Amino acid sequence: MTTMTLFHSPLSPFVRKVMVLLHETGQQDRVALQAVNISPVTGDDQLDLDNPIGKIPALRLQDGTVLHDSRVICEYLDQQHVGNPLIPREGSARWRRLTLASQADAIMDSAVSSRYESFLRPEDKRWDGWLEAQAGKIRRSLANLEQEHLAELTSVFDIAAIGVACALGYLDLRQPAFGWRERQPGLAAWYAEVSKRPSLAATAPMA
Ligand code: 99T
């Protein structure tokens, strides 16, 4: 039975994290999806009422409470099922996995901001230096994941792995020529494997 409403777009990597977590924890039937088509300059009235910052994902609970952003929603939903937590509840594992998840979110932030810069901003106002700086952040983060964290990512499919997979899926969607697979073959092999999971297959973004 659906008891919650998720403001949703199939192209948002932040929304996808929530959707993957719902699938992985068997909760997808509890959430109704409310489609929104927004950008920083074109909002959605209903969304703005529920989330004054006008971003997705936002999750309306049965009692009308609204949760945002994706980190808060994932934490909430992870505490609503009885299986193994996808976000460790305590100890050093919690801070490790949340920091990796934060690195994945930061890759998405840079990629989304590049998308807005290169697609939304009027052409005469675009700033190549901005795009190059964002690309540098993404390249350094992916190299660091490959060199330092591949074993950790492979060890368990949790909030950190979900975040990295959604970040890579979004890069493929919006910057298919970014060429990360050539630079990070280990990450590419990991991603090819986890992409077979039903949760990722069911939520793959389609432009
Ligand atoms: O910035 C806006 O006003 C509208 N943008 C969003 O709502 C994006 C959609 S991804 N969401 C976020 O930036 C959420 C970030 C937040 N920290 C979280 O939830 O974790 C759109 C991607 C695309 O269209 O290509």
Side-chain angles (χ1 to χ4, degrees):
M1 195 187 72
T2 60
T3 56
M4 301 175 266
T5 302
L6 180 68
F7 289 94
H8 177 271
S9 154
L11 303 183
S12 164
F14 301 102
V15 170
R16 190 179 182 201
K17 279 191 334 185
V18 172
M19 295 299 291
V20 173
L21 188 137
L22 285 169
H23 276 264
E24 291 285 340
T25 59
Q27 298 187 81
Q28 62 270 47
D29 294 342
R30 300 184 57 208
V31 175
L33 304 183
Q34 182 154 336
V36 288
N37 190 0
I38 53 161
S39 79
V41 289
T42 53
D44 176 284
D45 289 346
Q46 182 60 53
L47 174 65
D48 288 351
L49 285 176
D50 276 4
N51 176 7
I53 212 72
K55 294 192 182 194
I56 53 171
L59 181 72
R60 193 188 315 118
L61 308 184
Q62 195 166 25
D63 68 359
T65 308
V66 177
L67 303 183
H68 58 79
D69 60 6
S70 64
R71 299 184 201 212
V72 177
I73 296 170
C74 285
E75 184 91 46
Y76 173 80
L77 291 173
D78 197 39
Q79 298 200 11
Q80 304 303 311
H81 67 100
V82 291
N84 283 338
L86 297 188
I87 304 173
R89 298 279 153 80
E90 57 193 9
S92 59
R94 176 169 171 81
W95 312 119
R96 276 283 347 117
R97 304 309 289 191
L98 283 178
T99 298
L100 277 176
S102 165
Q103 187 159 331
D105 280 355
I107 294 170
M108 294 179 218
D109 282 335
S110 283
V112 168
S113 120
S114 298
R115 164 74 180 169
Y116 293 152
E117 179 69 24
S118 61
F119 180 76
L120 267 189
R121 194 179 297 283
E123 222 164 329
D124 60 321
K125 298 193 175 65
R126 287 183 196 157
W127 184 6
D128 286 344
W130 176 272
L131 290 175
E132 280 157 26
Q134 301 306 320
K137 289 174 190 288
I138 298 172
R139 268 198 302 273
R140 286 194 301 278
S141 289
L142 294 182
N144 169 266
L145 289 175
E146 168 109 355
Q147 285 155 19
E148 310 281 343
H149 304 297
L150 207 46
E152 280 173 283
L153 280 180
T154 308
S155 65
V156 51
F157 195 78
D158 67 350
I159 195 66
I162 290 172
V164 174
C166 292
L168 294 172
Y170 185 71
L171 270 183
D172 282 350
L173 174 76
R174 293 300 195 203
Q175 299 188 50
F178 195 72
W180 65 270
R181 283 182 177 76
E182 291 77 64
R183 290 187 295 272
Q184 273 80 53
L187 204 54
W190 171 81
Y191 183 59
E193 197 52 41
V194 295
S195 293
K196 296 176 194 156
R197 297 180 78 89
S199 62
L200 284 178
T203 58
M206 273 166 292

